[in-house]
Amino acid sequence: MATTTLLEAQFDKGLRGTAADQLATVSTLSHMVQEYPIPTFINSLLVRLADAFETGSLDLRVAAARALGQCGPHLKLAFSSAEISKRILKVSHSNDPSARETVLDVLAELAPLLSTSNTVHHLIRESLSTTDEGEFRAACHALKSFSSISQSFAESIVLQVGKILEEDEATEPRKVLLCSVFSTMSATAIVVEQVFGIADLILRRSISDEYFHSFLNSTTSLCIEIRYSIPKQVDLLLDLLNPKEKDAVPPSNTRRLIILKELNRLSSFTSVWSEAQVRTFLESLQPKMTSQALIEFFDATTSLVKNSSYENLRVLKDLILSNTGFGSHADPEVSVRFVFFASQVVCSPRAFEVDSSDYIETTMTAFTVVVVNACTNGKLRNRLASRLFRAIGDLLLAFPYTQYSFSPMIISAVFSGFESEITDSNNQKERLDLLCRLIDSDKLYIGEVHKWACKVMKEKRKLFNAYSSQFSYLCLAVGTSLPAECSVIFYPGNSISIYETARSAFRNGHWKHVASPNLASIDVIIMPQFERNWITALKEIGNSQLTEMGLDELESQQSHLISALSALKIGKSDPKFGAILRFPIGMVSAMLSSSYAHFHLLSVLRPFQTVLSGALQPNKFFNPVMAKRFITALSSCESSLNEAFVEWTSLVRASFCADPTSFDLITLYYLRVSVLQTAVRVILKKQSADTIIQIPQLSNSRTCSLFQKERLQWVIDRIRNLRYDFEPNINIVNNLYTIVEQLAIIPYMLPRFFFQQFYHVDFKVILILILLYIHLFSHFFQISTTPQSEKERPVRVLQGDTIPIRVDGSLTSTHPFPIRSLIIFAEVTSLSSHSHNQVFREAVDLSENSHFAAQFLLNFKTTCDVRIRVEFIDQTSRKQWKADGGATISIAVKEKYPQMGHEYKRSGAQIPVDPRQMIRNTMFPSDLM
């Protein structure tokens, strides 16, 4: 590629410049590698860097090691490992320990390329006996990198590491540094057995607390890596915590804390803990333990609750009932952790499965006293308060408000934090977050919390203004309405709070009466262009909400949605924020398509409901001809329904990065169109009225999605009323009208993803077009590589030629779900004839460094554009998703020149005056020169 060739030349020139130029050039390495993850390009840069490393200064070598450490997994794409290592290892023969230190640091970063190099392995072994501290540190760095990749090297070096740890000659700081190697060592059965053998020798000696901590920390990391040795490590730690020998000395407070920290790390692997191990661990709880030790203890017990067996859960529950005093501990860090741990136990579905309801009520009432005490103890640090009120939220959702008498006591304790109008005096923000969670998760709490929030708005305006975002969400909860005396503009004059109110109104379905008036009160004249377009679009979306069914209302809705779509598309051109508007544009476009479908259906239904209704009455005046006309008119609606269905389907397939609740809402909106399609097809006799339409399981049972699901289920249950024997009558028409009306008027609730996009999945695609020009009169052919074409300069090829196009790319993602595989599409769009359009696809897998490559052989007949786009399959749901972006290359096809040869006529051949001119004109036509 021309771009990468230019970068290579600049990189090479910089490395041959002054010392400052060299350092500046080396610092750009990681950026170039991540921007262009192409194997040949990365390999070329590394070879050039190795040359400079061999002959450069110490500063250059240190900079090279630092730059390589920033390149990440892309270094694996290089393939000239022998050439690179040969140049770097030449420096290792230097007598300067600083030079050898830089060699080891560079080799540590290049371990994925050189993992099997015996020369490097030998160099690391030798460097472990050096007297220079810097070289020893670098040797440990390299040892850690190579032993984590190469099993054979790990097995051969572990005994040497153990010998150094046992020797008295090595200083303790060196031992601390060296034992950290175990944490990432390639954990084969041989290595693990030898490490535990070393542990038996080391831990029996008198060693410092620092060495003790470093050794246990690294061996725990090793066991976590392989999992099967965790029980053995737990036994080792429990033996250190509670020595079995009678004459054994109990661990000091410092060592007790170290052991508890390591047990806390292993507690997340609940399934491998036996009941005996859990009991032994819980027996170590003592009132005289330090606060820090108690914190680690209760953090570990909290982790043990997850996925624990019933026997272990019973043991943990017994611990709570016999140690409720820790809920009133002087240190709030301890008391809050105890409450959090206890809430996780009692909220487990199996905690009370064999207990009576009276026992549950009695036990939880006693525990409620501890919770209320923690809730009314005054201000806590924000992080601690978040944990406490998260635990309280778990309790209230596990034991519903209307079923248990102790739940109202906890709610009252939460409300009590607002008795004072001093803001942030009782962790009001965390309490409000809890209340928002309650109304967002369980509709039983909505009425009580909404009523309380409206009361605060009237009586405690200072508090209400201090937490505008949370109070707006509570006052505009799903399925509620504001009191008649309340103004819909909660915060006049404050644009930020007004916007937050409008956003809450959009998310909970209060568009026209709350969101739109609030947005209209914002002065957009002083705003930047992007924000102005965004507010304008939201205002139009708010005005588009339907409150009643009618043709005029639908036309007005479409007008507002078109205006919103126009404003969003203008905003999409913004280079900084335009990318975040992809989903809002897609959703507004889908809503507009649904509105068109509703308008089309209503246009068909209204005449038959009014002036023509007499001919469809199920009596002796029934006119079958009119019924057939209704069927014919209804058939024309299928096209608009199909368009809306395609729009929503495309939006669902492009919403991989949406949070679970947002994806639930998008799916339910897609099902609206699908259900309406089914209803029409049932009347058209294209589908049975008994067809089972199942709403998929929701990812998150939030009140907004449950509200949509309940309304949708009501509509699905009405489809069976569309069944008829011979001809549809007025009852069928009215039932279809009811279905259309409900689906059109059900308020959309804009998902959180519409406003906030937390994850992103980005595919960087690079096209390489390989052109083969075969000389007609030569035994050789030339291969040239052309970069992605510029818009004004398409790539020129000859008609009928088959051209390989290679697609190189890389993935960057912040989504928690991994990508399983990719599907690369090459869409050839002819500019002159659609008959030449073609679509090619190839499935590829991601490499370890998230790189992918595909190649297509394309035959070009006419001038066209080749668009490369990516779809992918995630590892969790195995669904196929659309990705944004892609790459396009323009191809200009030129007709082949006819082959020129000798033309013989009956009268004889005409020979040019100069025979050499004939050959020159034949082999090198002037057009091609």
Side-chain angles (χ1 to χ4, degrees):
M1 293 179 62
T3 305
T4 53
T5 303
L6 178 62
L7 289 174
E8 287 177 20
Q10 292 175 348
F11 191 77
D12 193 40
K13 181 180 178 182
L15 291 178
R16 294 199 306 270
T18 63
D21 291 338
Q22 289 177 342
L23 295 178
T25 301
V26 171
S27 67
T28 64
L29 177 67
S30 61
H31 175 72
M32 289 191 292
V33 165
Q34 293 169 8
E35 190 71 18
Y36 299 98
I38 303 172
T40 53
F41 176 61
I42 294 175
N43 189 76
S44 178
L45 293 182
L46 292 186
V47 171
R48 285 174 165 80
L49 183 64
D51 282 330
F53 183 89
E54 180 184 353
T55 58
S57 63
L58 181 62
D59 290 339
L60 175 65
R61 291 168 180 168
V62 172
R66 187 185 303 113
L68 289 170
Q70 298 170 350
C71 291
H74 292 304
L75 294 177
K76 295 180 183 179
L77 296 176
F79 45 84
S80 298
S81 55
E83 292 298 320
I84 295 170
S85 63
K86 181 175 69 175
R87 290 164 171 77
I88 293 172
L89 286 172
K90 285 182 180 179
V91 184
S92 67
H93 303 304
S94 171
N95 292 326
D96 182 6
S98 298
R100 295 195 298 271
E101 179 183 355
T102 59
V103 170
L104 289 165
D105 279 332
V106 168
L107 291 174
E109 305 302 337
L110 295 175
L113 286 178
L114 311 173
S115 60
T116 59
S117 173
N118 291 326
T119 306
V120 177
H121 295 172
H122 179 69
L123 175 63
I124 294 171
R125 289 191 185 92
E126 284 189 334
S127 297
L128 289 176
S129 59
T130 182
T131 58
D132 183 78
E133 296 300 327
E135 185 179 354
F136 183 82
R137 177 206 59 77
C140 291
H141 183 201
L143 172 61
K144 194 171 182 179
S145 297
F146 277 84
S147 63
S148 66
I149 298 174
S150 174
Q151 292 185 356
S152 59
F153 179 61
E155 291 176 359
S156 64
I157 199 71
V158 64
L159 290 179
Q160 183 179 348
V161 172
K163 185 178 179 182
I164 297 174
L165 294 177
E166 294 170 21
E167 290 175 349
D168 295 332
E169 290 80 5
T171 62
E172 198 153 274
R174 282 198 171 196
K175 293 180 179 180
V176 170
L177 185 64
L178 187 58
C179 67
S180 65
V181 172
F182 293 140
S183 62
T184 58
M185 187 169 281
S186 184
T188 63
I190 296 174
V191 168
V192 173
E193 193 63 32
Q194 290 174 339
V195 168
F196 274 105
I198 296 170
D200 287 337
L201 295 173
I202 298 297
L203 296 176
R204 294 179 185 277
R205 298 184 176 187
S206 177
I207 58 178
S208 68
D209 291 340
E210 183 184 7
Y211 187 15
F212 182 82
H213 174 253
S214 181
F215 189 87
L216 285 182
N217 182 269
S218 60
T219 53
T220 300
S221 299
L222 181 69
C223 294
I224 290 174
E225 182 68 25
I226 56 174
R227 307 292 174 88
Y228 69 82
S229 63
I230 288 178
K232 192 171 183 178
Q233 181 73 358
V234 170
D235 285 334
L236 172 65
L237 293 170
L238 290 176
D239 187 53
L240 293 171
L241 187 65
N242 296 320
K244 297 177 182 177
E245 296 81 3
K246 293 183 180 179
D247 56 344
V249 179
S252 63
N253 287 337
T254 302
R255 295 209 173 183
R256 181 182 296 275
L257 180 60
I258 292 171
I259 298 167
L260 285 172
K261 282 184 176 180
E262 300 310 315
L263 285 168
N264 188 13
R265 293 177 64 196
L266 296 174
S267 62
S268 57
F269 304 96
T270 315
S271 58
V272 301
W273 283 63
S274 66
E275 184 181 353
Q277 289 175 329
V278 173
R279 287 187 180 278
T280 303
F281 176 57
L282 298 185
E283 287 169 2
S284 67
L285 177 62
Q286 301 173 7
K288 63 180 181 180
M289 288 168 61
T290 63
S291 293
Q292 195 60 42
L294 288 170
I295 288 171
E296 293 294 337
F297 179 86
F298 286 124
D299 281 346
T301 54
T302 302
S303 298
L304 284 172
V305 175
K306 270 186 187 176
N307 302 320
S308 66
S309 64
Y310 176 74
E311 291 75 16
N312 289 351
L313 191 64
R314 184 181 58 193
V315 174
L316 293 169
K317 188 174 73 170
D318 293 340
L319 176 73
I320 296 169
L321 300 178
S322 59
N323 292 276
T324 53
F326 285 106
S328 304
H329 196 276
D331 188 346
E333 293 278 352
V334 176
S335 60
V336 169
R337 277 176 168 79
F338 175 80
V339 171
F340 189 82
F341 155 62
S343 70
Q344 300 307 301
V345 173
V346 299
C347 291
S348 174
R350 295 172 299 166
F352 296 107
E353 66 179 6
V354 297
D355 299 318
S356 65
S357 57
D358 291 338
Y359 176 82
I360 298 173
E361 187 76 33
T362 304
T363 303
M364 290 304 301
T365 301
F367 180 57
T368 298
V369 176
V370 177
V371 175
V372 171
N373 179 65
C375 207
T376 55
N377 250 351
K379 182 174 171 58
L380 301 170
R381 283 189 292 180
N382 294 343
R383 177 186 53 79
L384 204 59
S386 296
R387 175 172 283 206
L388 171 64
F389 289 105
R390 179 184 163 194
I392 293 173
D394 293 339
L395 283 170
L396 292 172
L397 292 174
F399 300 94
Y401 183 71
T402 56
Q403 297 181 22
Y404 296 92
S405 60
F406 58 85
S407 293
M409 296 170 55
I410 299 176
I411 284 284
S412 298
V414 175
F415 287 163
S416 67
F418 297 87
E419 293 175 355
S420 169
E421 286 205 44
I422 301 174
T423 59
D424 203 28
S425 61
N426 287 305
N427 302 110
Q428 283 100 337
K429 181 183 181 300
E430 288 75 17
R431 293 170 188 260
L432 286 170
D433 288 340
L434 162 64
L435 295 174
C436 290
R437 179 190 173 193
L438 290 179
I439 68 167
D440 202 27
S441 303
D442 192 338
K443 61 183 180 181
L444 295 176
Y445 291 100
I446 291 178
E448 183 71 17
V449 175
H450 170 74
K451 180 181 176 182
W452 170 83
C454 291
K455 183 179 179 182
V456 173
M457 178 171 57
K458 295 177 186 177
E459 300 176 358
K460 298 179 179 178
R461 195 70 199 187
K462 185 178 179 181
L463 275 176
F464 189 80
N465 292 338
Y467 304 101
S468 57
S469 179
Q470 291 94 333
F471 272 115
S472 295
Y473 196 78
L474 297 177
C475 289
L476 299 170
V478 175
T480 62
S481 58
L482 290 171
E485 66 274 13
C486 290
S487 171
V488 295
I489 301 176
F490 299 159
Y491 310 99
N494 188 334
S495 297
I496 295 176
S497 297
I498 288 174
Y499 175 75
E500 289 176 344
T501 302
R503 186 175 61 183
S504 297
F506 275 122
R507 291 185 59 191
N508 292 330
H510 303 280
W511 291 18
K512 196 164 192 174
H513 298 304
V514 180
S516 187
N518 274 274
L519 293 170
S521 67
I522 297 177
D523 184 10
V524 297
I525 301 299
I526 61 175
M527 289 185 173
Q529 184 65 37
F530 179 82
E531 285 78 1
R532 190 186 313 164
N533 288 325
W534 175 246
I535 296 296
T536 302
L538 289 180
K539 188 163 49 176
E540 295 291 343
I541 293 171
N543 287 326
S544 71
Q545 184 178 16
L546 281 182
T547 55
E548 59 179 328
M549 184 77 158
L551 293 175
D552 292 338
E553 287 77 7
L554 284 168
E555 281 188 344
S556 175
Q557 181 186 56
Q558 292 158 19
S559 175
H560 288 303
L561 290 175
I562 289 171
S563 299
L565 200 56
S566 176
L568 289 173
K569 287 182 177 179
I570 294 172
K572 196 174 188 306
S573 60
D574 186 275
K576 187 176 181 181
F577 302 107
I580 65 176
L581 295 181
R582 178 197 61 82
F583 177 79
I585 288 174
M587 184 166 180
V588 173
S589 178
M591 289 162 54
L592 181 60
S593 295
S594 291
S595 182
Y596 285 142
H598 296 151
F599 183 87
H600 197 171
L601 280 165
L602 187 59
S603 301
V604 170
L605 292 172
R606 273 292 169 82
F608 292 97
Q609 280 187 304
T610 54
V611 297
L612 303 177
S613 61
L616 293 177
Q617 294 294 334
N619 52 33
K620 62 181 180 179
F621 298 106
F622 178 78
N623 189 344
V625 175
M626 196 59 64
K628 290 180 180 178
R629 287 184 179 179
F630 170 70
I631 293 295
T632 303
L634 191 61
S635 300
S636 65
C637 298
E638 282 195 288
S639 59
S640 57
L641 283 170
N642 288 337
E643 290 175 6
F645 181 79
V646 169
E647 286 268 9
W648 283 108
T649 302
S650 179
L651 186 67
V652 170
R653 290 191 59 212
S655 300
F656 175 68
C657 292
D659 57 282
T661 304
S662 295
F663 188 73
D664 285 341
L665 287 173
I666 300 164
T667 305
L668 291 169
Y669 299 153
Y670 148 80
L671 284 174
R672 282 197 198 183
V673 181
S674 178
V675 168
L676 190 55
Q677 245 185 345
T678 301
V680 171
R681 291 176 64 86
V682 166
I683 296 177
L684 297 177
K685 293 290 187 178
K686 294 183 177 181
Q687 198 165 336
S688 171
D690 297 323
T691 302
I692 299 175
I693 303 175
Q694 290 185 338
I695 300 176
Q697 187 72 27
L698 299 179
S699 303
N700 278 358
S701 297
R702 297 288 185 249
T703 50
C704 56
S705 51
L706 289 174
F707 173 82
Q708 296 287 332
K709 182 179 179 180
E710 289 170 1
R711 295 291 187 93
L712 193 58
Q713 189 62 56
W714 184 91
V715 173
I716 291 172
D717 294 339
R718 295 300 177 279
I719 290 181
R720 64 173 63 95
N721 297 333
L722 301 176
R723 185 189 293 110
Y724 62 92
D725 295 327
F726 301 105
E727 304 291 347
N729 55 31
I730 191 63
N731 295 330
I732 301 298
V733 175
N734 289 336
N735 283 329
L736 180 59
Y737 176 83
T738 302
I739 289 174
V740 175
E741 183 182 34
Q742 286 298 313
L743 292 175
I745 293 180
I746 295 174
Y748 288 104
M749 296 174 184
L750 289 187
R752 190 178 186 180
F753 189 54
F754 193 96
F755 300 98
Q756 293 174 294
Q757 299 174 15
F758 299 102
Y759 308 129
H760 81 276
V761 175
D762 181 41
F763 294 93
K764 184 183 291 294
V765 178
I766 303 169
L767 291 182
I768 302 177
L769 180 64
I770 305 172
L771 304 179
L772 305 181
Y773 296 104
I774 303 180
H775 204 291
L776 294 177
F777 291 89
S778 173
H779 298 293
F780 304 95
F781 63 91
Q782 179 184 2
I783 301 179
S784 63
T785 304
T786 306
Q788 180 177 350
S789 65
E790 300 176 4
K791 293 181 180 179
E792 65 276 5
R793 297 182 61 186
V795 175
R796 300 183 179 276
V797 300
L798 295 180
Q799 187 180 49
D801 281 353
T802 300
I803 307 298
I805 292 185
R806 178 180 170 85
V807 181
D808 275 292
S810 62
L811 161 69
T812 55
S813 173
T814 60
H815 200 282
F817 291 171
I819 305 300
R820 180 172 179 254
S821 59
L822 307 178
I823 303 170
I824 315 298
F825 290 85
E827 299 175 346
V828 180
T829 306
S830 175
L831 303 182
S832 59
S833 174
H834 293 300
S835 62
H836 293 108
N837 291 356
Q838 293 176 291
V839 178
F840 301 88
R841 55 179 287 171
E842 183 176 346
V844 297
D845 292 326
L846 281 168
S847 62
E848 293 181 3
N849 52 3
S850 298
H851 175 265
F852 60 90
Q855 185 162 309
F856 300 93
L857 291 174
L858 304 183
N859 185 276
F860 298 108
K861 297 179 181 178
T862 62
T863 298
C864 61
D865 288 337
V866 179
R867 180 173 179 265
I868 301 297
R869 64 179 181 87
V870 180
E871 295 189 6
F872 58 95
I873 300 173
D874 71 282
Q875 186 69 43
T876 305
S877 66
R878 304 296 176 93
K879 294 179 181 177
Q880 187 170 329
W881 306 88
K882 286 184 177 180
D884 294 335
T888 302
I889 188 168
S890 298
I891 305 294
V893 177
K894 191 174 184 180
E895 292 186 4
K896 287 186 177 180
Y897 288 92
Q899 184 174 356
M900 299 178 64
H902 301 288
E903 183 178 359
Y904 294 98
K905 297 182 179 179
R906 291 187 179 181
S907 58
Q910 293 182 353
I911 306 298
V913 177
D914 186 355
R916 292 172 297 177
Q917 187 65 33
M918 178 193 69
I919 298 174
R920 187 178 298 112
N921 291 341
T922 304
M923 296 180 62
F924 306 100
S926 59
D927 304 337
L928 297 177
M929 293 180 66

